[in-house]
Amino acid sequence: MNAPLVIAVCPVLEPPQTTAAGLRGLREQVEGLVVVDDGSSVPVAYEGIDVVRLPENRGIAAALNQGVRAAVAAGATHVLTVDQDSSFPDDYVQQLLACERSAQRQGLRPGAVGAVEFSGLHHSGHFSDGVMVVQESIQSGTLFAATALAEVGGFDERLVIDAVDTDVCLRLQCAGWDVCVAPVGFEHALGDGHFVRFLGRRVWSSRHAPLRRYYITRNGIVVLRRHARRHPRWALVYLRRLLVATWLSVREGGPEVRAAVREGLADGWRRRLGKRPAVTRRTPTRQP
């Protein structure tokens, strides 16, 4: 069997200065690195790194697909997808590849291998010889087999952003691939959110802006409707997580966040996909 050739793909949009240092560190672990500039106001450039520039912002799913195509054209057998605000330990890719090999020895068919932990958030379950089988892995820090992504058609660009990783992981499983995580972690920026106590449990409140809250709500409903029948146990966990996140955002957010949630609920039920219209519906003002 030929040695795996790993190329990392990193979509960026108005990236912070810290992204450059993170990419340089990651470059030492992979055979290649493709940055996809998803319509930044000032074109992004990094010394010694290939940058594919999209003329306008198309969303992370489209940027990932563009980067995957470039990686495969360069000979990648595996694609490591990362975010602009993630940082990884020096042996991160080695540990993911070791997890993949162990999964194959156990008779599994790993199409995606991610990390068990990022920034204090953990997958629950049990390891067997360094492998935990899960139903979804966060997009950043996940190693995808190029053949697996090709078989399922890549990331769904109609989702734009949010839940694109959940959706592709579930489609991989429907196609007979396994999604695994390795006993390794990484740091991933979680914005200005915070942990809160909800019904006696410690849960994460993301405090996303209205636009992101729209996509989270809409796409959450869409992926539930797509996959609940074939993945009922996942659906129960995901629905609970979506309900808690929605309730916290409504409680802590302002009127724009609540309007975005209502719009996301309506469009998710209608299965309306694509980018959110620039001019959104407004809630009527109450007369004095």
Side-chain angles (χ1 to χ4, degrees), residues 124 195-204 237 240 244:
S124 60
F195 284 101
V196 299
R197 302 298 298 183
F198 180 79
L199 298 179
R201 300 184 63 183
R202 186 171 179 260
V203 298
W204 178 256
V237 174
R240 182 182 64 189
V244 171

Side-chain angles (χ1 to χ4, degrees), residues 162-183:
D162 290 305
V164 298
D165 41 15
T166 297
D167 176 70
V168 78
C169 285
L170 293 169
R171 285 190 286 117
L172 283 170
Q173 291 165 78
C174 289
W177 297 89
D178 293 298
V179 178
C180 307
V181 292

Side-chain angles (χ1 to χ4, degrees), residues 205 213 217 244-254 257-258 261:
S205 178
R213 184 51 58 189
T217 306
V244 171
T246 302
W247 184 84
L248 289 173
S249 67
V250 169
R251 187 186 71 171
E252 298 180 350
V257 169
R258 290 190 285 273
V261 168

Side-chain angles (χ1 to χ4, degrees), residues 228-268:
R229 182 171 296 178
R230 295 197 65 172
H231 303 277
R233 293 183 63 184
W234 161 83
L236 290 174
V237 174
Y238 191 86
L239 176 60
R240 182 182 64 189
R241 195 167 68 207
L242 180 63
L243 289 174
V244 171
T246 302
W247 184 84
L248 289 173
S249 67
V250 169
R251 187 186 71 171
E252 298 180 350
E256 290 185 354
V257 169
R258 290 190 285 273
V261 168
R262 289 193 295 270
E263 187 177 347
L265 289 169
D267 285 350

